[in-house]
Amino acid sequence: MAQHPVFITRKFPPSVGGMETLAAGVWRSVLAVRPDAIRISHGGANHDLAWWLPLSLIRLTLLIARRKVEFVLTGDAMMYATVTGLLRLCRVPHATMIMGLDVTFENRIYRAVVHPLLRRAPRVIANSSATAERAREFGVPADRVSILRLGVQAPDVDAEGRVRASISVRRRHHFVESDVLILTLGRLVQRKGVRWFVAEVLPALPQHVCYLVAGEGQEEASILAAADRAGVRERVHMLGRVDDADREDLLRGVDLFVQPNIPVSGDMEGFGLVTIEAAMRGTPVVAADLEGIKDAVIDGRTGILLPPQDRQGWIDRLSQLVAERGALASLGAEFQAVVRELYGEGAMARTLAEDLGLDGLSP
């Protein structure tokens, strides 16, 4: 009877977010080496997990009972905690992915339950060096932890495509050609540093620099309040949640992408996948030299890293880039060429297959 690798994840498209993007990439990477793989995934809202998790466990149990499972990869630590008892009971070979919040979440009950399970996991695949280090700190054996250089699909984006996207963004959001557009895209939480950027950096940049913030989250009101206090409210454009078409135009059509993260106790940036997405579209990336972002952005090769919360350093570097606006396209093209080579899904598929031994498993 044929057996199959199984990928099980509670975060998957059409739901939107970094974990969902990563899960989709991991799934495509698994399929690249094992087209017979089976996916059990949830692409809906978090409140639906109450019924989806038990159903996913039942489905996995049935697959195991029918002897159709050869190997199981879980998408994150919570998913692993849900199924590890079954996998161990049935002696199914398995591994789990882990993200930044998997190892920094400070809830005592979570740590009491999940961390011991991760310490016993046969293979833990971290999404960055920072995540791997945190896992080792709470006792996951170093020889069981590996780091997966994440990859994303490389879209077909050339200079003409970027120009068309720029025109689209400016028309849709009512900007003129002389405006310099800086974008941050993602969940609006404290560690993203958007409020800090609005309060400390944007006021010192030229008046024609506009800051676009795409995403939703608990920091939205605080960001707007910071913009009011700093006198830059008219230059901060809160776009909220954007659809796929607008997201694509934004990543292609702005002048700069910034990820101004700040350190926050009990939270961390596991990787910063969106910085790779922006660079793959030829948009120059400037990001904080912090946590998992350091795995996503290679300073001077795929983007520019700056010390987190270094107000003057950020002001000086961004002012220089804005003043040399004509050179941004060529800088973005340089970063684009390198990031496509290092962070394409082909490279991730090869690494994942080697780490999990999928090449050695026959369908």
Side-chain angles (χ1 to χ4, degrees):
M1 180 178 294
Q3 292 186 314
H4 313 268
V6 175
F7 177 49
I8 181 166
T9 174
R10 64 189 179 92
K11 296 280 190 176
F12 202 81
S15 183
V16 177
M19 285 182 63
E20 290 82 355
T21 300
L22 170 60
V26 169
W27 172 239
R28 287 189 294 267
S29 296
V30 171
L31 282 180
V33 292
R34 287 298 299 270
D36 65 314
I38 296 171
R39 186 186 85 228
I40 302 174
S41 62
H42 175 60
N46 285 338
H47 59 73
D48 292 330
L49 288 172
W51 60 262
W52 181 84
L53 286 172
L55 288 179
S56 69
L57 191 59
I58 292 172
R59 183 180 175 190
L60 182 60
T61 301
L62 291 174
L63 287 171
I64 294 172
R66 294 168 183 167
R67 301 183 183 277
K68 291 187 175 182
V69 179
E70 189 170 29
F71 185 92
V72 172
L73 174 65
T74 58
D76 71 306
M78 282 295 292
M79 193 72 250
Y80 182 67
T82 302
V83 302
T84 183
L86 173 65
L87 298 177
R88 289 185 176 278
L89 177 65
C90 298
R91 299 182 179 180
V92 177
H94 59 274
T96 186
M97 302 283 300
I98 58 169
M99 318 298 160
L101 195 57
D102 288 336
V103 294
T104 60
F105 191 44
E106 292 187 335
N107 181 278
R108 291 183 179 180
I109 297 176
Y110 171 89
R111 291 193 170 206
V113 173
V114 175
H115 285 194
L117 295 175
L118 288 177
R119 284 194 284 266
R120 296 177 58 202
R123 172 61 61 184
V124 173
I125 303 172
N127 66 341
S128 70
S129 300
T131 301
E133 181 59 30
R134 292 291 185 93
R136 296 186 192 104
E137 286 176 0
F138 68 73
V140 179
D143 62 348
R144 297 183 192 171
V145 181
S146 59
I147 301 166
L148 179 65
R149 174 174 279 173
L150 305 186
V152 298
Q153 286 183 310
D156 184 15
V157 183
D158 56 17
E160 291 183 0
R162 284 184 50 78
V163 170
R164 288 193 298 271
S166 176
I167 293 171
S168 175
V169 169
R170 291 169 194 277
R171 285 178 177 173
R172 187 178 306 176
H173 299 290
H174 310 293
F175 296 107
V176 298
E177 176 59 31
S178 59
D179 289 331
V180 175
L181 306 184
I182 297 180
L183 171 70
T184 292
L185 189 154
R187 191 159 55 96
L188 301 183
V189 293
Q190 187 181 358
R191 75 166 189 273
K192 297 292 185 180
V194 174
R195 176 161 40 115
W196 171 82
F197 186 87
V198 164
E200 301 293 336
V201 179
L202 186 62
L205 299 180
Q207 289 294 314
H208 64 291
V209 174
C210 302
Y211 188 34
L212 286 66
V213 181
E216 299 174 326
Q218 62 196 39
E219 278 278 285
E220 184 172 352
S222 297
I223 293 167
L224 290 173
D228 286 333
R229 290 192 298 270
V232 293
R233 181 64 186 83
E234 293 184 357
R235 296 165 59 196
V236 176
H237 301 264
M238 305 293 290
L239 306 182
R241 184 173 182 174
V242 296
D243 61 27
D244 289 344
D246 200 7
R247 184 181 191 275
E248 189 65 36
D249 275 347
L250 287 167
L251 287 172
R252 298 180 184 212
V254 298
D255 296 291
L256 284 167
F257 183 91
V258 296
Q259 184 97 350
N261 280 47
I262 62 174
V264 174
S265 177
D267 199 2
M268 66 175 284
E269 193 70 50
F271 187 66
L273 197 62
V274 70
T275 61
I276 291 177
E277 293 182 291
M280 278 194 168
R281 289 154 175 80
T283 300
V285 170
V286 181
D289 188 5
L290 183 70
E291 299 162 348
I293 296 174
K294 295 187 286 186
D295 284 44
V297 179
I298 302 174
D299 190 33
R301 298 190 66 203
T302 66
I304 297 167
L305 289 176
L306 298 175
Q309 293 183 297
D310 179 1
R311 176 180 180 275
Q312 197 58 50
W314 278 79
I315 292 170
D316 292 345
R317 192 68 176 99
L318 289 176
S319 296
Q320 178 189 14
L321 291 168
V322 168
E324 301 170 355
R325 186 182 180 188
L328 289 178
S330 59
L331 180 65
E334 292 175 12
F335 293 161
Q336 183 183 34
V338 178
V339 82
R340 281 172 173 259
E341 178 183 351
L342 295 179
Y343 298 106
E345 283 193 351
M348 181 169 72
R350 290 189 295 271
T351 302
L352 190 62
E354 180 180 350
D355 199 15
L356 299 180
L358 293 180
D359 280 334
L361 303 178
S362 57

